[in-house]
Amino acid sequence: VSEIVDFEYIIVGSETESLILELNLIKKYDPKYNIIFRDDKSYPYIELTSDKVPTLRIIRRINVKKVKNNLFGPYPNVGAARKVVEILNRIYPLRKCKTYEKRECLYYHIGQCLGYCTHEVDENKIKEMKSEIISFLNGNTKVLTDRITEKMKIFSDNLDYEKALEYKELLNYINITTEKQKVDLDNSVNIDVASYYAKDNYISIQILFIRGGKLLDRNRNIFPMIDTEEEEFSRYLSEFYNKNVSMPKEVLVPDNLNKEVFEEVFKIKFMTPIKGEKKKILDLAYDNARIYYEEQMTYIKRDEDKITNALEELKDKLKLDSVDRIELFDNSNLFGTFNVSGMVVFVDGKPSKNDYRKFKITNDKNDDYGTMREVIYRRYFRVLKDGLVKPSLVIVDGGPGQINVAREVINELGLDIPVCGLKKDDKHATNVLLGFDPVVEIPIDKRSDLFLLLTKMQTEVHNFTISYHKQIRSKGALSTVLDNIEGIGEVRKNKLLKKYKTISKMKEASLEELEEILPKDTAITFKEFLDNYDK
């Protein structure tokens, strides 16, 4: 709400018109806070390109407006998608390389490519392969199984039993998979079946993908409800089909979905079967949603209990009224260069990734206290200035020195925020919680829920900061890296650049080779710097 600049509203004639307008606006603007598709995962599709010589591949990020190729999916199980592509590429000699080479590659010599780069290939043969692949991906497995059986017989007749066995295993994989997936529907039917199960303020949603009368895959999710179950289900479906590229012919849904609105927005048929095989499949989707709910709620409730216990213990040990929002800080540098800090936020014991922040430190010195002072000041001056939510607790990565610096800055800003610290042992593992004033060590049972939560928090902030540090470092020019090494001036820098040109080549150089350009002490320091550069 604090980020809203202004708002406007549109008067419509009915609730149905309102829902249509909402779905269309979401589809048009893809708003930042419309996150019903909770994990924001982009599911893979299998793409058969429309080139003169097509290729078969898996893609994720798709620009719907620019799609001109044949797309099949989505495949929530990326492993299954890769297996399908692998089988088709082995059976059909499609083009495997991205660019045309000047001579035949290995795939040509093992019979998995027709050598399109150097040989003329009959266009009718390419069309035939393409037609068979499209037929298979639409659910017709007979063409492919017949082709595999034919190849298996040829290898067997030639006494190449090892190769024949490979094709027999492929055939078994396809037969077993399609037998399990068989749904008692017309083979030409391409439908999705969507249903849900709601209980105790959670909703479990299942979408089954049926192509060519076979159950190919499914999408499923479970999350807390913030609205009625009907509205949560409607929003989830609208977001799902807004991101979906390969649309089915029809979607089977429960009766309480506003089917007319969805048909108008997505231009496909939404229906609720009353009886027959389609009704059985819709019931199957409901049963899957219910079972998934029962499975997952065991884990969800267990995890929530662990988090609750951990937060209660943390409050008790630090004598605090609340630890609802915890902000953690970590610093990273390489011999004083590329100095950065990271902040992660845990709300009610869970990561709030939208609140994570990165800080590029202005002072490029190996001064941990100075870095801590700068990042704490910048963060909580902003909290004051912009009226942001104050944390219940600040955790810094370090000992009494870092804790006292953070407290000093927070007090200077007139804020009342408790600060504690986490120290690591020699193996970089969470070891001790530090708190109170003066700072003392607070014992924690290493088998407790609190210790596990603090370890998770410390790992999260460390990985987030290190990732940012590597990102910044990778953008730094080589000459900038050399500028930060004491003892390497302009002349020596130019000699190193002229001889080695890249960091990787410098890393390969021995200490003796570096000493040909640098004094011994400088060479040792530089060698240590290079050894730690990618860590």
Side-chain angles (χ1 to χ4, degrees):
V1 172
S2 64
E3 293 190 26
I4 295 173
V5 177
D6 57 27
F7 67 90
E8 63 182 58
Y9 56 88
I10 302 171
I11 298 172
V12 294
S14 67
E15 197 171 324
T16 299
E17 288 179 25
S18 173
L19 183 55
I20 291 174
L21 178 62
E22 180 186 0
L23 294 180
N24 279 316
L25 290 175
I26 289 172
K27 195 170 182 179
K28 181 178 179 181
Y29 293 110
D30 193 20
K32 175 181 176 181
Y33 292 104
N34 189 62
I35 54 171
I36 297 302
F37 205 35
R38 307 284 166 156
D39 54 3
D40 196 28
K41 189 184 293 178
S42 57
Y43 287 114
Y45 290 79
I46 293 177
E47 178 187 41
L48 181 65
T49 64
S50 298
D51 305 331
K52 182 180 179 182
V53 182
T55 59
L56 195 66
R57 61 191 180 188
I58 292 173
I59 60 170
R60 282 186 182 271
R61 300 291 176 186
I62 301 169
N63 186 333
V64 180
K65 296 178 182 177
K66 294 184 179 180
V67 170
K68 296 180 181 177
N69 301 324
N70 294 289
L71 288 176
F72 305 90
Y75 289 84
N77 185 342
V78 68
R82 288 197 180 104
K83 186 69 177 177
V84 169
V85 170
E86 177 194 333
I87 289 173
L88 292 173
N89 270 322
R90 287 182 62 182
I91 302 303
Y92 294 99
L94 297 167
R95 178 164 64 92
K96 308 295 192 294
C97 50
K98 292 182 180 178
T99 57
Y100 288 97
E101 305 297 328
K102 294 181 180 178
R103 59 178 182 177
E104 300 96 340
C105 63
L106 176 63
Y107 288 111
Y108 172 79
H109 294 291
I110 63 174
Q112 291 187 22
C113 177
L114 296 180
Y116 305 100
C117 48
T118 56
H119 297 77
E120 285 290 330
V121 179
D122 184 0
E123 288 187 12
N124 291 327
K125 185 173 181 61
I126 295 174
K127 287 180 181 177
E128 182 185 350
M129 283 195 298
K130 195 171 178 179
S131 173
E132 290 182 9
I133 290 170
I134 291 172
S135 176
F136 174 77
L137 291 173
N138 280 326
N140 180 13
T141 59
K142 187 176 185 306
V143 174
L144 183 61
T145 54
D146 288 348
R147 184 175 283 272
I148 293 174
T149 303
E150 180 187 340
K151 283 181 174 286
M152 183 175 66
K153 188 174 185 310
I154 291 170
F155 284 116
S156 180
D157 291 343
N158 293 333
L159 307 182
D160 190 348
Y161 298 117
E162 188 175 336
K163 201 73 176 174
L165 181 61
E166 284 184 28
Y167 281 96
K168 184 176 186 300
E169 289 172 350
L170 282 180
L171 189 63
N172 289 341
Y173 173 82
I174 293 172
N175 286 336
I176 290 170
T177 304
T178 53
E179 183 64 31
K180 284 181 180 179
Q181 293 171 332
K182 182 65 178 170
V183 177
D184 199 7
L185 285 176
D186 178 4
N187 286 342
S188 64
V189 172
N190 288 345
I191 63 174
D192 286 356
V193 187
S195 191
Y196 69 89
Y197 177 81
K199 186 179 178 182
D200 295 339
N201 214 39
Y202 273 84
I203 184 167
S204 168
I205 295 175
Q206 290 267 342
I207 305 175
L208 307 179
F209 307 127
I210 297 173
R211 301 294 182 267
K214 293 181 176 63
L215 176 59
L216 291 187
D217 218 322
R218 66 179 173 186
N219 165 272
R220 60 184 183 177
N221 213 331
I222 183 170
F223 49 86
M225 292 191 294
I226 57 174
D227 216 323
T228 66
E229 57 190 61
E230 292 85 0
E231 288 174 330
E232 292 283 7
F233 182 59
S234 293
R235 289 197 186 105
Y236 188 90
L237 281 191
S238 67
E239 187 70 10
F240 180 81
Y241 286 109
N242 184 34
K243 290 178 180 288
N244 198 352
V245 176
S246 179
M247 290 289 192
K249 296 293 183 184
E250 64 183 52
V251 183
L252 308 184
V253 291
D255 192 40
N256 57 0
L257 186 78
N258 193 329
K259 296 179 282 293
E260 293 78 11
V261 171
F262 275 81
E263 287 182 358
E264 184 166 340
V265 172
F266 295 106
K267 311 303 179 189
I268 55 177
K269 187 176 181 181
F270 285 78
M271 63 173 291
T272 303
I274 306 299
K275 59 183 180 179
E277 292 304 323
K278 288 185 177 181
K279 175 66 166 65
K280 290 180 182 177
I281 296 168
L282 184 60
D283 291 342
L284 179 67
Y286 171 83
D287 288 340
N288 274 278
R290 177 181 54 78
I291 292 168
Y292 186 58
Y293 169 88
E294 291 167 354
E295 289 174 350
Q296 293 303 308
M297 284 309 295
T298 303
Y299 300 114
I300 290 171
K301 288 180 178 176
R302 183 192 64 189
D303 291 343
E304 287 181 347
D305 289 344
K306 285 185 174 182
I307 290 172
T308 300
N309 293 338
L311 295 178
E312 287 298 322
E313 186 179 352
L314 184 60
K315 281 198 299 184
D316 183 60
K317 286 190 176 294
L318 294 175
K319 310 300 181 191
L320 298 175
D321 295 329
S322 171
V323 286
D324 295 343
R325 181 185 176 95
I326 301 174
E327 297 185 353
L328 299 94
F329 295 85
D330 192 17
N331 305 325
S332 182
N333 68 74
L334 183 63
F335 290 86
T337 64
F338 306 111
N339 221 343
V340 301
S341 286
M343 181 194 80
V344 303
V345 179
F346 279 70
V347 177
D348 295 329
K350 297 176 183 177
S352 179
K353 293 185 182 289
N354 286 339
D355 293 323
Y356 287 14
R357 293 293 180 268
K358 303 168 182 175
F359 300 88
K360 189 174 181 182
I361 304 303
T362 56
N363 189 8
D364 250 357
K365 291 182 180 178
N366 197 355
D367 178 6
D368 209 25
Y369 294 163
T371 299
M372 184 60 67
R373 183 180 299 279
E374 178 178 334
V375 71
I376 294 294
Y377 177 80
R378 285 169 59 184
R379 169 60 184 169
Y380 296 107
F381 177 77
R382 177 78 186 275
V383 168
L384 272 177
K385 177 174 175 288
D386 296 345
L388 304 180
V389 178
K390 287 195 307 182
S392 312
L393 176 67
V394 169
I395 300 180
V396 299
D397 185 41
Q402 285 89 344
I403 295 172
N404 289 328
V405 167
R407 286 175 175 170
E408 183 182 322
V409 174
I410 288 173
N411 290 336
E412 287 173 357
L413 290 169
L415 292 170
D416 181 21
I417 303 172
V419 181
C420 69
L422 288 172
K423 277 181 67 177
K424 300 187 182 80
D425 59 20
D426 295 338
K427 296 180 181 177
H428 213 69
T430 305
N431 189 31
V432 175
L433 175 65
L434 302 171
F436 301 116
D437 190 10
V439 177
V440 297
E441 292 188 1
I442 303 170
I444 305 174
D445 182 355
K446 292 196 174 183
R447 294 168 297 180
S448 68
D449 294 334
L450 174 58
F451 183 80
L452 293 174
L453 179 61
L454 291 175
T455 301
K456 178 182 177 181
M457 289 178 169
Q458 194 169 32
T459 301
E460 180 77 2
V461 69
H462 175 75
N463 290 343
F464 179 69
T465 308
I466 287 295
S467 174
Y468 179 49
H469 183 238
K470 288 182 177 179
Q471 177 188 339
I472 290 291
R473 208 166 63 200
S474 67
K475 293 179 180 178
L478 179 55
S479 58
T480 305
V481 173
L482 297 177
D483 285 339
N484 287 285
I485 307 300
E486 189 175 347
I488 299 181
E490 196 65 29
V491 174
R492 290 172 181 163
K493 181 177 77 171
N494 290 333
K495 286 182 179 179
L496 287 167
L497 289 171
K498 184 176 181 180
K499 183 174 181 179
Y500 297 107
K501 294 183 176 59
T502 66
I503 281 284
S504 59
K505 289 183 178 178
M506 289 182 191
K507 291 185 72 171
E508 293 169 3
S510 65
L511 183 61
E512 291 74 20
E513 289 173 322
L514 293 175
E515 286 179 7
E516 293 175 8
I517 298 174
L518 305 174
K520 185 172 183 178
D521 290 346
T522 305
I524 292 172
T525 302
F526 187 45
K527 184 67 175 171
E528 186 181 352
F529 174 90
L530 293 171
D531 290 342
N532 285 278
Y533 188 74
D534 288 327
K535 292 182 180 177

